[in-house]
Amino acid sequence: MGDHVKDPQIQEAITAFGLQGRKLYLPQMPYGGSYLLAAAIRSIGFDAWQTTDSDERTLDLGGRMTSGDECYPQKIVLGDLLRIIEDEGRDKVAYLMPSANGPCRFGQYLHLIRTKLDELGYDDVPVISITSNDGYSSIGNYSQDLVRTAWRAVLAGDILMKLLLKTRPYEREKGTTDVVYNESLEDVGKAVSMEHVSHKVRMEAIVAAVLRARAKFRAVPADYDASRPLIGVVGEIFCRQNTFSNFDLIRVVEEQGGECWLSDIGEWVWYTDDEQRRRLAEDGKRFGKDNAIRVIKNKVMRMDEHKLFGPFEEDFVGYEEPHDVRDVLEMSKPYLPYTGALGEMVLSSGKSIYMYEKGADGIIDISPFTCMNGIVTEAVYPSLSHDLDDMPIRVFYFDGTQGDLERDVGIFIELARTYQRRKHTTRRYPAYFGV
């Protein structure tokens, strides 16, 4: 990898990371998001790809190297890496493992992975990390282009996921929407991964690709039905996005008669940006250089968001994301103040309220078994549900074993249908619903 790269800075980064001749793998979170993020990394000359689909070997390998005290996503992430090493060889692979602060065990993934690889004698397999401490700006040390391209990849991934989830439940021929989604991912990925082009050219290519995707999704033969309950999906970010870890719960909801609105990845990016703002203010650096850089970056991010989401205003009627993540954080404040509680627990509680106001008929929280975020939010959900006209809210925990998921989801959908008939909020629909 990287032998064709002429940019001295990129070649220096490849050498510094120990990535010569290696593929850099990203965990799937979700598949489409990781596919496009890997494409963004390829745009600067790294040979980056998402991991192949998890399977039973993932759980076996991950289980051998974990004690059970770790959370379920850790087991999957480690198991997938070990599976890739076995399949491709220790001298052919590397791993990109994001990290973060906060109460979640996610911040310890990197250290455990490195420890376990060393114990197995894989001390030569590079594990690269980026962190939310500075809004993930550390990767910008090697290329500011990557930071912006990666953000555009996140936005495009969120758009395609919204198109998928709002179309698939209504398709006339099963599987049609999935085909369109995968074709669109490939098309957008080509635009994201272009090398040696300007930001303007890349954005034009990405916009053109997502508009082609929009046309394909609009053309999917479908029978839209307003009686289908809309279920908001929140929870721990990996488990709710990784379909293997949650037994493809969203598809189960669809099969049981519901439609899902999944909290997106961009929400987390905006949250890390706001946390950086808050930390700088607490440290008395509100008017300092670091915050000035953050403000400029924020404006550029907003501009890119508007360019990509703007053409979808008609398609996303009733599915609009919050204008500012602080709106969600303020909604959470009476239950979990975001100045004390951190991470997914405040986002999940606040987003549940936001989705209620948008007309959702129920909320599903997807969390790993023993996850602190899931446990805390489960404790406040009864009060939150009471204040939201007793809207049904349920935490689904996952640990690799599962009971009768279809039965449990079916019961929840019936509760959502009952709530739908008596709720006080009004859901807005795109024009093609005919409502």
Side-chain angles (χ1 to χ4, degrees), residues 161-162 165-166 229-234 240 250 253 259-264 316 318-322 351 354-360 362-364 427:
M161 180 60 73
K162 288 176 81 71
L165 297 185
K166 66 188 286 294
L230 178 64
I231 308 301
V233 180
V234 298
R240 77 170 186 252
I250 285 179
V253 170
E259 176 195 352
C260 287
W261 178 353
L262 176 66
S263 292
D264 58 28
F316 294 159
Y319 306 89
E320 300 90 350
E321 294 297 330
K351 194 63 172 289
Y354 178 84
M355 290 175 166
Y356 157 81
E357 293 185 350
K358 285 291 184 180
I363 299 293
I364 284 177
R427 178 184 172 187

PDB file of all heavy atoms in Angstrom, residues 161-162 165-166 229-234 240 250 253 259-264 316 318-322 351 354-360 362-364 427:
ATOM      1  N   MET A 161     -28.728   6.172   4.240  1.00  0.00           N
ATOM      2  CA  MET A 161     -29.413   5.362   5.246  1.00  0.00           C
ATOM      3  C   MET A 161     -30.855   5.837   5.440  1.00  0.00           C
ATOM      4  O   MET A 161     -31.778   5.026   5.550  1.00  0.00           O
ATOM      5  CB  MET A 161     -28.659   5.422   6.572  1.00  0.00           C
ATOM      6  CG  MET A 161     -29.308   4.609   7.698  1.00  0.00           C
ATOM      7  SD  MET A 161     -29.452   2.840   7.332  1.00  0.00           S
ATOM      8  CE  MET A 161     -27.727   2.329   7.495  1.00  0.00           C
ATOM      9  N   LYS A 162     -31.058   7.156   5.468  1.00  0.00           N
ATOM     10  CA  LYS A 162     -32.423   7.674   5.607  1.00  0.00           C
ATOM     11  C   LYS A 162     -33.274   7.260   4.408  1.00  0.00           C
ATOM     12  O   LYS A 162     -34.442   6.880   4.559  1.00  0.00           O
ATOM     13  CB  LYS A 162     -32.392   9.202   5.744  1.00  0.00           C
ATOM     14  CG  LYS A 162     -31.875   9.690   7.087  1.00  0.00           C
ATOM     15  CD  LYS A 162     -31.761  11.207   7.134  1.00  0.00           C
ATOM     16  CE  LYS A 162     -33.089  11.869   7.404  1.00  0.00           C
ATOM     17  NZ  LYS A 162     -33.563  11.656   8.798  1.00  0.00           N
ATOM     18  N   LEU A 165     -34.178   3.480   4.812  1.00  0.00           N
ATOM     19  CA  LEU A 165     -35.130   3.117   5.856  1.00  0.00           C
ATOM     20  C   LEU A 165     -36.520   3.682   5.606  1.00  0.00           C
ATOM     21  O   LEU A 165     -37.511   3.128   6.095  1.00  0.00           O
ATOM     22  CB  LEU A 165     -34.613   3.567   7.216  1.00  0.00           C
ATOM     23  CG  LEU A 165     -33.312   2.903   7.680  1.00  0.00           C
ATOM     24  CD1 LEU A 165     -32.957   3.342   9.093  1.00  0.00           C
ATOM     25  CD2 LEU A 165     -33.404   1.389   7.602  1.00  0.00           C
ATOM     26  N   LYS A 166     -36.625   4.771   4.862  1.00  0.00           N
ATOM     27  CA  LYS A 166     -37.942   5.336   4.579  1.00  0.00           C
ATOM     28  C   LYS A 166     -38.582   4.716   3.338  1.00  0.00           C
ATOM     29  O   LYS A 166     -39.751   4.960   3.051  1.00  0.00           O
ATOM     30  CB  LYS A 166     -37.862   6.866   4.399  1.00  0.00           C
ATOM     31  CG  LYS A 166     -37.077   7.317   3.181  1.00  0.00           C
ATOM     32  CD  LYS A 166     -36.879   8.824   3.183  1.00  0.00           C
ATOM     33  CE  LYS A 166     -38.135   9.550   2.830  1.00  0.00           C
ATOM     34  NZ  LYS A 166     -38.537   9.283   1.422  1.00  0.00           N
ATOM     35  N   PRO A 229     -46.574   2.321  11.884  1.00  0.00           N
ATOM     36  CA  PRO A 229     -46.005   3.149  12.950  1.00  0.00           C
ATOM     37  C   PRO A 229     -44.534   3.466  12.709  1.00  0.00           C
ATOM     38  O   PRO A 229     -43.779   2.635  12.195  1.00  0.00           O
ATOM     39  CB  PRO A 229     -46.188   2.292  14.210  1.00  0.00           C
ATOM     40  CG  PRO A 229     -46.324   0.900  13.718  1.00  0.00           C
ATOM     41  CD  PRO A 229     -46.970   0.984  12.369  1.00  0.00           C
ATOM     42  N   LEU A 230     -44.160   4.692  13.060  1.00  0.00           N
ATOM     43  CA  LEU A 230     -42.774   5.134  12.932  1.00  0.00           C
ATOM     44  C   LEU A 230     -42.070   4.916  14.267  1.00  0.00           C
ATOM     45  O   LEU A 230     -42.493   5.459  15.297  1.00  0.00           O
ATOM     46  CB  LEU A 230     -42.722   6.609  12.546  1.00  0.00           C
ATOM     47  CG  LEU A 230     -41.327   7.234  12.432  1.00  0.00           C
ATOM     48  CD1 LEU A 230     -40.533   6.574  11.303  1.00  0.00           C
ATOM     49  CD2 LEU A 230     -41.434   8.742  12.204  1.00  0.00           C
ATOM     50  N   ILE A 231     -40.984   4.157  14.247  1.00  0.00           N
ATOM     51  CA  ILE A 231     -40.252   3.814  15.457  1.00  0.00           C
ATOM     52  C   ILE A 231     -38.886   4.497  15.432  1.00  0.00           C
ATOM     53  O   ILE A 231     -38.073   4.245  14.539  1.00  0.00           O
ATOM     54  CB  ILE A 231     -40.057   2.286  15.585  1.00  0.00           C
ATOM     55  CG1 ILE A 231     -41.391   1.549  15.428  1.00  0.00           C
ATOM     56  CG2 ILE A 231     -39.385   1.960  16.916  1.00  0.00           C
ATOM     57  CD1 ILE A 231     -42.439   1.925  16.432  1.00  0.00           C
ATOM     58  N   GLY A 232     -38.644   5.375  16.390  1.00  0.00           N
ATOM     59  CA  GLY A 232     -37.332   5.983  16.524  1.00  0.00           C
ATOM     60  C   GLY A 232     -36.354   4.995  17.121  1.00  0.00           C
ATOM     61  O   GLY A 232     -36.705   4.253  18.040  1.00  0.00           O
ATOM     62  N   VAL A 233     -35.142   4.976  16.599  1.00  0.00           N
ATOM     63  CA  VAL A 233     -34.117   4.040  17.084  1.00  0.00           C
ATOM     64  C   VAL A 233     -32.936   4.848  17.623  1.00  0.00           C
ATOM     65  O   VAL A 233     -32.282   5.595  16.886  1.00  0.00           O
ATOM     66  CB  VAL A 233     -33.645   3.081  15.982  1.00  0.00           C
ATOM     67  CG1 VAL A 233     -32.575   2.129  16.513  1.00  0.00           C
ATOM     68  CG2 VAL A 233     -34.830   2.288  15.426  1.00  0.00           C
ATOM     69  N   VAL A 234     -32.677   4.698  18.905  1.00  0.00           N
ATOM     70  CA  VAL A 234     -31.571   5.378  19.577  1.00  0.00           C
ATOM     71  C   VAL A 234     -30.708   4.312  20.245  1.00  0.00           C
ATOM     72  O   VAL A 234     -30.857   3.126  19.998  1.00  0.00           O
ATOM     73  CB  VAL A 234     -32.098   6.392  20.618  1.00  0.00           C
ATOM     74  CG1 VAL A 234     -32.931   7.479  19.938  1.00  0.00           C
ATOM     75  CG2 VAL A 234     -32.936   5.689  21.695  1.00  0.00           C
ATOM     76  N   ARG A 240     -26.364  -0.015  17.764  1.00  0.00           N
ATOM     77  CA  ARG A 240     -27.545   0.357  16.989  1.00  0.00           C
ATOM     78  C   ARG A 240     -27.232   0.430  15.496  1.00  0.00           C
ATOM     79  O   ARG A 240     -28.128   0.308  14.665  1.00  0.00           O
ATOM     80  CB  ARG A 240     -28.130   1.685  17.474  1.00  0.00           C
ATOM     81  CG  ARG A 240     -27.387   2.930  17.044  1.00  0.00           C
ATOM     82  CD  ARG A 240     -28.169   4.201  17.367  1.00  0.00           C
ATOM     83  NE  ARG A 240     -27.532   5.384  16.828  1.00  0.00           N
ATOM     84  CZ  ARG A 240     -26.907   6.317  17.523  1.00  0.00           C
ATOM     85  NH1 ARG A 240     -26.813   6.188  18.841  1.00  0.00           N
ATOM     86  NH2 ARG A 240     -26.375   7.369  16.929  1.00  0.00           N
ATOM     87  N   ILE A 250     -33.650  -3.608  13.003  1.00  0.00           N
ATOM     88  CA  ILE A 250     -34.480  -2.709  12.197  1.00  0.00           C
ATOM     89  C   ILE A 250     -35.251  -3.490  11.140  1.00  0.00           C
ATOM     90  O   ILE A 250     -36.437  -3.231  10.893  1.00  0.00           O
ATOM     91  CB  ILE A 250     -33.614  -1.610  11.560  1.00  0.00           C
ATOM     92  CG1 ILE A 250     -33.219  -0.575  12.627  1.00  0.00           C
ATOM     93  CG2 ILE A 250     -34.331  -0.940  10.391  1.00  0.00           C
ATOM     94  CD1 ILE A 250     -32.342   0.544  12.122  1.00  0.00           C
ATOM     95  N   VAL A 253     -38.157  -5.087  12.786  1.00  0.00           N
ATOM     96  CA  VAL A 253     -39.232  -4.113  12.996  1.00  0.00           C
ATOM     97  C   VAL A 253     -40.033  -3.924  11.708  1.00  0.00           C
ATOM     98  O   VAL A 253     -41.276  -3.885  11.726  1.00  0.00           O
ATOM     99  CB  VAL A 253     -38.658  -2.764  13.478  1.00  0.00           C
ATOM    100  CG1 VAL A 253     -39.740  -1.679  13.460  1.00  0.00           C
ATOM    101  CG2 VAL A 253     -38.071  -2.894  14.876  1.00  0.00           C
ATOM    102  N   GLU A 259     -41.819   1.068  10.679  1.00  0.00           N
ATOM    103  CA  GLU A 259     -40.808   1.808   9.922  1.00  0.00           C
ATOM    104  C   GLU A 259     -39.869   2.447  10.931  1.00  0.00           C
ATOM    105  O   GLU A 259     -40.309   2.911  11.990  1.00  0.00           O
ATOM    106  CB  GLU A 259     -41.449   2.890   9.057  1.00  0.00           C
ATOM    107  CG  GLU A 259     -40.441   3.773   8.321  1.00  0.00           C
ATOM    108  CD  GLU A 259     -41.054   5.052   7.748  1.00  0.00           C
ATOM    109  OE1 GLU A 259     -42.293   5.192   7.783  1.00  0.00           O
ATOM    110  OE2 GLU A 259     -40.283   5.915   7.289  1.00  0.00           O
ATOM    111  N   CYS A 260     -38.579   2.473  10.642  1.00  0.00           N
ATOM    112  CA  CYS A 260     -37.601   2.976  11.606  1.00  0.00           C
ATOM    113  C   CYS A 260     -36.960   4.282  11.161  1.00  0.00           C
ATOM    114  O   CYS A 260     -36.690   4.492   9.978  1.00  0.00           O
ATOM    115  CB  CYS A 260     -36.504   1.933  11.852  1.00  0.00           C
ATOM    116  SG  CYS A 260     -37.056   0.529  12.838  1.00  0.00           S
ATOM    117  N   TRP A 261     -36.689   5.119  12.150  1.00  0.00           N
ATOM    118  CA  TRP A 261     -35.898   6.340  11.984  1.00  0.00           C
ATOM    119  C   TRP A 261     -34.685   6.169  12.886  1.00  0.00           C
ATOM    120  O   TRP A 261     -34.780   6.248  14.101  1.00  0.00           O
ATOM    121  CB  TRP A 261     -36.725   7.558  12.371  1.00  0.00           C
ATOM    122  CG  TRP A 261     -36.012   8.876  12.293  1.00  0.00           C
ATOM    123  CD1 TRP A 261     -34.686   9.100  12.039  1.00  0.00           C
ATOM    124  CD2 TRP A 261     -36.600  10.170  12.468  1.00  0.00           C
ATOM    125  NE1 TRP A 261     -34.402  10.441  12.050  1.00  0.00           N
ATOM    126  CE2 TRP A 261     -35.562  11.119  12.312  1.00  0.00           C
ATOM    127  CE3 TRP A 261     -37.884  10.607  12.750  1.00  0.00           C
ATOM    128  CZ2 TRP A 261     -35.787  12.494  12.439  1.00  0.00           C
ATOM    129  CZ3 TRP A 261     -38.107  11.970  12.872  1.00  0.00           C
ATOM    130  CH2 TRP A 261     -37.061  12.911  12.711  1.00  0.00           C
ATOM    131  N   LEU A 262     -33.543   5.907  12.275  1.00  0.00           N
ATOM    132  CA  LEU A 262     -32.314   5.603  13.009  1.00  0.00           C
ATOM    133  C   LEU A 262     -31.512   6.865  13.283  1.00  0.00           C
ATOM    134  O   LEU A 262     -31.234   7.643  12.374  1.00  0.00           O
ATOM    135  CB  LEU A 262     -31.477   4.622  12.187  1.00  0.00           C
ATOM    136  CG  LEU A 262     -30.092   4.237  12.719  1.00  0.00           C
ATOM    137  CD1 LEU A 262     -30.203   3.456  14.024  1.00  0.00           C
ATOM    138  CD2 LEU A 262     -29.327   3.418  11.674  1.00  0.00           C
ATOM    139  N   SER A 263     -31.137   7.070  14.547  1.00  0.00           N
ATOM    140  CA  SER A 263     -30.255   8.190  14.875  1.00  0.00           C
ATOM    141  C   SER A 263     -28.958   8.045  14.092  1.00  0.00           C
ATOM    142  O   SER A 263     -28.347   6.974  14.072  1.00  0.00           O
ATOM    143  CB  SER A 263     -29.946   8.202  16.378  1.00  0.00           C
ATOM    144  OG  SER A 263     -31.098   8.508  17.120  1.00  0.00           O
ATOM    145  N   ASP A 264     -28.528   9.130  13.443  1.00  0.00           N
ATOM    146  CA  ASP A 264     -27.444   9.009  12.484  1.00  0.00           C
ATOM    147  C   ASP A 264     -26.063   9.241  13.095  1.00  0.00           C
ATOM    148  O   ASP A 264     -25.923   9.588  14.266  1.00  0.00           O
ATOM    149  CB  ASP A 264     -27.679   9.936  11.282  1.00  0.00           C
ATOM    150  CG  ASP A 264     -27.820  11.397  11.708  1.00  0.00           C
ATOM    151  OD1 ASP A 264     -27.249  11.784  12.735  1.00  0.00           O
ATOM    152  OD2 ASP A 264     -28.507  12.153  10.992  1.00  0.00           O
ATOM    153  N   PHE A 316     -37.303  14.366   2.837  1.00  0.00           N
ATOM    154  CA  PHE A 316     -37.172  14.164   4.274  1.00  0.00           C
ATOM    155  C   PHE A 316     -38.200  14.953   5.082  1.00  0.00           C
ATOM    156  O   PHE A 316     -37.979  15.238   6.266  1.00  0.00           O
ATOM    157  CB  PHE A 316     -35.750  14.522   4.719  1.00  0.00           C
ATOM    158  CG  PHE A 316     -34.694  13.607   4.162  1.00  0.00           C
ATOM    159  CD1 PHE A 316     -33.368  14.013   4.086  1.00  0.00           C
ATOM    160  CD2 PHE A 316     -35.010  12.345   3.695  1.00  0.00           C
ATOM    161  CE1 PHE A 316     -32.386  13.176   3.578  1.00  0.00           C
ATOM    162  CE2 PHE A 316     -34.046  11.493   3.171  1.00  0.00           C
ATOM    163  CZ  PHE A 316     -32.724  11.909   3.112  1.00  0.00           C
ATOM    164  N   GLY A 318     -40.837  15.383   7.557  1.00  0.00           N
ATOM    165  CA  GLY A 318     -41.194  14.506   8.667  1.00  0.00           C
ATOM    166  C   GLY A 318     -40.029  13.726   9.221  1.00  0.00           C
ATOM    167  O   GLY A 318     -40.161  13.063  10.265  1.00  0.00           O
ATOM    168  N   TYR A 319     -38.896  13.786   8.554  1.00  0.00           N
ATOM    169  CA  TYR A 319     -37.689  13.095   9.015  1.00  0.00           C
ATOM    170  C   TYR A 319     -36.548  14.095   9.245  1.00  0.00           C
ATOM    171  O   TYR A 319     -35.375  13.729   9.239  1.00  0.00           O
ATOM    172  CB  TYR A 319     -37.213  12.067   7.994  1.00  0.00           C
ATOM    173  CG  TYR A 319     -38.243  11.050   7.565  1.00  0.00           C
ATOM    174  CD1 TYR A 319     -39.090  11.289   6.483  1.00  0.00           C
ATOM    175  CD2 TYR A 319     -38.367   9.825   8.225  1.00  0.00           C
ATOM    176  CE1 TYR A 319     -40.030  10.357   6.070  1.00  0.00           C
ATOM    177  CE2 TYR A 319     -39.304   8.884   7.816  1.00  0.00           C
ATOM    178  CZ  TYR A 319     -40.129   9.152   6.745  1.00  0.00           C
ATOM    179  OH  TYR A 319     -41.054   8.214   6.347  1.00  0.00           O
ATOM    180  N   GLU A 320     -36.880  15.355   9.418  1.00  0.00           N
ATOM    181  CA  GLU A 320     -35.845  16.387   9.548  1.00  0.00           C
ATOM    182  C   GLU A 320     -35.011  16.156  10.800  1.00  0.00           C
ATOM    183  O   GLU A 320     -35.548  15.889  11.879  1.00  0.00           O
ATOM    184  CB  GLU A 320     -36.488  17.779   9.624  1.00  0.00           C
ATOM    185  CG  GLU A 320     -37.319  18.149   8.396  1.00  0.00           C
ATOM    186  CD  GLU A 320     -38.772  17.748   8.504  1.00  0.00           C
ATOM    187  OE1 GLU A 320     -39.104  16.998   9.462  1.00  0.00           O
ATOM    188  OE2 GLU A 320     -39.568  18.169   7.645  1.00  0.00           O
ATOM    189  N   GLU A 321     -33.701  16.280  10.655  1.00  0.00           N
ATOM    190  CA  GLU A 321     -32.811  16.182  11.809  1.00  0.00           C
ATOM    191  C   GLU A 321     -32.781  17.528  12.540  1.00  0.00           C
ATOM    192  O   GLU A 321     -33.093  18.570  11.951  1.00  0.00           O
ATOM    193  CB  GLU A 321     -31.398  15.794  11.363  1.00  0.00           C
ATOM    194  CG  GLU A 321     -31.291  14.397  10.773  1.00  0.00           C
ATOM    195  CD  GLU A 321     -31.636  13.298  11.761  1.00  0.00           C
ATOM    196  OE1 GLU A 321     -31.405  13.496  12.970  1.00  0.00           O
ATOM    197  OE2 GLU A 321     -32.154  12.251  11.321  1.00  0.00           O
ATOM    198  N   PRO A 322     -32.420  17.536  13.816  1.00  0.00           N
ATOM    199  CA  PRO A 322     -32.346  18.801  14.568  1.00  0.00           C
ATOM    200  C   PRO A 322     -31.397  19.789  13.897  1.00  0.00           C
ATOM    201  O   PRO A 322     -30.361  19.388  13.348  1.00  0.00           O
ATOM    202  CB  PRO A 322     -31.819  18.366  15.940  1.00  0.00           C
ATOM    203  CG  PRO A 322     -32.145  16.914  16.038  1.00  0.00           C
ATOM    204  CD  PRO A 322     -32.064  16.370  14.646  1.00  0.00           C
ATOM    205  N   LYS A 351     -32.986  12.715  22.018  1.00  0.00           N
ATOM    206  CA  LYS A 351     -33.485  12.383  20.679  1.00  0.00           C
ATOM    207  C   LYS A 351     -34.842  11.686  20.758  1.00  0.00           C
ATOM    208  O   LYS A 351     -35.678  11.841  19.845  1.00  0.00           O
ATOM    209  CB  LYS A 351     -32.474  11.492  19.949  1.00  0.00           C
ATOM    210  CG  LYS A 351     -32.714  11.344  18.446  1.00  0.00           C
ATOM    211  CD  LYS A 351     -32.588  12.689  17.746  1.00  0.00           C
ATOM    212  CE  LYS A 351     -32.633  12.572  16.226  1.00  0.00           C
ATOM    213  NZ  LYS A 351     -31.410  11.964  15.661  1.00  0.00           N
ATOM    214  N   TYR A 354     -37.222  14.458  20.896  1.00  0.00           N
ATOM    215  CA  TYR A 354     -37.284  15.104  19.581  1.00  0.00           C
ATOM    216  C   TYR A 354     -38.135  14.279  18.615  1.00  0.00           C
ATOM    217  O   TYR A 354     -38.988  14.827  17.893  1.00  0.00           O
ATOM    218  CB  TYR A 354     -35.872  15.277  19.028  1.00  0.00           C
ATOM    219  CG  TYR A 354     -35.832  15.889  17.656  1.00  0.00           C
ATOM    220  CD1 TYR A 354     -35.874  17.272  17.489  1.00  0.00           C
ATOM    221  CD2 TYR A 354     -35.765  15.097  16.515  1.00  0.00           C
ATOM    222  CE1 TYR A 354     -35.853  17.845  16.228  1.00  0.00           C
ATOM    223  CE2 TYR A 354     -35.743  15.656  15.251  1.00  0.00           C
ATOM    224  CZ  TYR A 354     -35.780  17.037  15.110  1.00  0.00           C
ATOM    225  OH  TYR A 354     -35.770  17.590  13.855  1.00  0.00           O
ATOM    226  N   MET A 355     -37.931  12.956  18.593  1.00  0.00           N
ATOM    227  CA  MET A 355     -38.696  12.107  17.691  1.00  0.00           C
ATOM    228  C   MET A 355     -40.167  12.055  18.086  1.00  0.00           C
ATOM    229  O   MET A 355     -41.048  11.971  17.223  1.00  0.00           O
ATOM    230  CB  MET A 355     -38.085  10.711  17.660  1.00  0.00           C
ATOM    231  CG  MET A 355     -36.730  10.648  16.955  1.00  0.00           C
ATOM    232  SD  MET A 355     -35.984   9.000  17.061  1.00  0.00           S
ATOM    233  CE  MET A 355     -34.675   9.139  15.828  1.00  0.00           C
ATOM    234  N   TYR A 356     -40.429  12.104  19.374  1.00  0.00           N
ATOM    235  CA  TYR A 356     -41.821  12.193  19.837  1.00  0.00           C
ATOM    236  C   TYR A 356     -42.486  13.432  19.252  1.00  0.00           C
ATOM    237  O   TYR A 356     -43.617  13.366  18.742  1.00  0.00           O
ATOM    238  CB  TYR A 356     -41.845  12.237  21.365  1.00  0.00           C
ATOM    239  CG  TYR A 356     -43.088  12.863  21.958  1.00  0.00           C
ATOM    240  CD1 TYR A 356     -44.268  12.131  22.085  1.00  0.00           C
ATOM    241  CD2 TYR A 356     -43.076  14.195  22.382  1.00  0.00           C
ATOM    242  CE1 TYR A 356     -45.412  12.719  22.625  1.00  0.00           C
ATOM    243  CE2 TYR A 356     -44.215  14.783  22.924  1.00  0.00           C
ATOM    244  CZ  TYR A 356     -45.379  14.047  23.042  1.00  0.00           C
ATOM    245  OH  TYR A 356     -46.502  14.624  23.576  1.00  0.00           O
ATOM    246  N   GLU A 357     -41.796  14.560  19.319  1.00  0.00           N
ATOM    247  CA  GLU A 357     -42.366  15.803  18.801  1.00  0.00           C
ATOM    248  C   GLU A 357     -42.544  15.759  17.284  1.00  0.00           C
ATOM    249  O   GLU A 357     -43.381  16.481  16.734  1.00  0.00           O
ATOM    250  CB  GLU A 357     -41.490  16.988  19.207  1.00  0.00           C
ATOM    251  CG  GLU A 357     -41.501  17.255  20.708  1.00  0.00           C
ATOM    252  CD  GLU A 357     -40.733  18.496  21.104  1.00  0.00           C
ATOM    253  OE1 GLU A 357     -40.028  19.057  20.233  1.00  0.00           O
ATOM    254  OE2 GLU A 357     -40.823  18.904  22.277  1.00  0.00           O
ATOM    255  N   LYS A 358     -41.765  14.912  16.618  1.00  0.00           N
ATOM    256  CA  LYS A 358     -41.904  14.755  15.176  1.00  0.00           C
ATOM    257  C   LYS A 358     -43.002  13.754  14.797  1.00  0.00           C
ATOM    258  O   LYS A 358     -43.258  13.540  13.613  1.00  0.00           O
ATOM    259  CB  LYS A 358     -40.562  14.303  14.567  1.00  0.00           C
ATOM    260  CG  LYS A 358     -39.524  15.403  14.484  1.00  0.00           C
ATOM    261  CD  LYS A 358     -39.923  16.439  13.459  1.00  0.00           C
ATOM    262  CE  LYS A 358     -38.877  17.517  13.277  1.00  0.00           C
ATOM    263  NZ  LYS A 358     -39.276  18.521  12.268  1.00  0.00           N
ATOM    264  N   GLY A 359     -43.616  13.149  15.798  1.00  0.00           N
ATOM    265  CA  GLY A 359     -44.723  12.251  15.523  1.00  0.00           C
ATOM    266  C   GLY A 359     -44.392  10.782  15.550  1.00  0.00           C
ATOM    267  O   GLY A 359     -45.188   9.953  15.067  1.00  0.00           O
ATOM    268  N   ALA A 360     -43.248  10.408  16.122  1.00  0.00           N
ATOM    269  CA  ALA A 360     -42.902   8.989  16.232  1.00  0.00           C
ATOM    270  C   ALA A 360     -43.925   8.280  17.113  1.00  0.00           C
ATOM    271  O   ALA A 360     -44.546   8.878  17.997  1.00  0.00           O
ATOM    272  CB  ALA A 360     -41.498   8.822  16.803  1.00  0.00           C
ATOM    273  N   GLY A 362     -43.158   5.305  18.764  1.00  0.00           N
ATOM    274  CA  GLY A 362     -42.461   4.496  19.761  1.00  0.00           C
ATOM    275  C   GLY A 362     -40.964   4.692  19.622  1.00  0.00           C
ATOM    276  O   GLY A 362     -40.486   5.185  18.594  1.00  0.00           O
ATOM    277  N   ILE A 363     -40.233   4.316  20.658  1.00  0.00           N
ATOM    278  CA  ILE A 363     -38.775   4.433  20.656  1.00  0.00           C
ATOM    279  C   ILE A 363     -38.174   3.100  21.074  1.00  0.00           C
ATOM    280  O   ILE A 363     -38.559   2.514  22.096  1.00  0.00           O
ATOM    281  CB  ILE A 363     -38.291   5.526  21.634  1.00  0.00           C
ATOM    282  CG1 ILE A 363     -38.853   6.895  21.245  1.00  0.00           C
ATOM    283  CG2 ILE A 363     -36.754   5.548  21.689  1.00  0.00           C
ATOM    284  CD1 ILE A 363     -38.327   7.451  19.949  1.00  0.00           C
ATOM    285  N   ILE A 364     -37.226   2.640  20.282  1.00  0.00           N
ATOM    286  CA  ILE A 364     -36.423   1.468  20.638  1.00  0.00           C
ATOM    287  C   ILE A 364     -34.997   1.928  20.908  1.00  0.00           C
ATOM    288  O   ILE A 364     -34.403   2.639  20.093  1.00  0.00           O
ATOM    289  CB  ILE A 364     -36.448   0.414  19.512  1.00  0.00           C
ATOM    290  CG1 ILE A 364     -37.781  -0.330  19.511  1.00  0.00           C
ATOM    291  CG2 ILE A 364     -35.297  -0.567  19.653  1.00  0.00           C
ATOM    292  CD1 ILE A 364     -37.926  -1.343  18.388  1.00  0.00           C
ATOM    293  N   ARG A 427     -47.692  13.564  12.904  1.00  0.00           N
ATOM    294  CA  ARG A 427     -46.555  13.255  12.047  1.00  0.00           C
ATOM    295  C   ARG A 427     -46.757  13.872  10.677  1.00  0.00           C
ATOM    296  O   ARG A 427     -47.843  13.791  10.102  1.00  0.00           O
ATOM    297  CB  ARG A 427     -46.387  11.745  11.913  1.00  0.00           C
ATOM    298  CG  ARG A 427     -45.245  11.335  10.987  1.00  0.00           C
ATOM    299  CD  ARG A 427     -45.177   9.825  10.791  1.00  0.00           C
ATOM    300  NE  ARG A 427     -44.213   9.482   9.759  1.00  0.00           N
ATOM    301  CZ  ARG A 427     -44.037   8.251   9.266  1.00  0.00           C
ATOM    302  NH1 ARG A 427     -44.773   7.237   9.716  1.00  0.00           N
ATOM    303  NH2 ARG A 427     -43.133   8.033   8.327  1.00  0.00           N
TER     304      ARG A 427
END
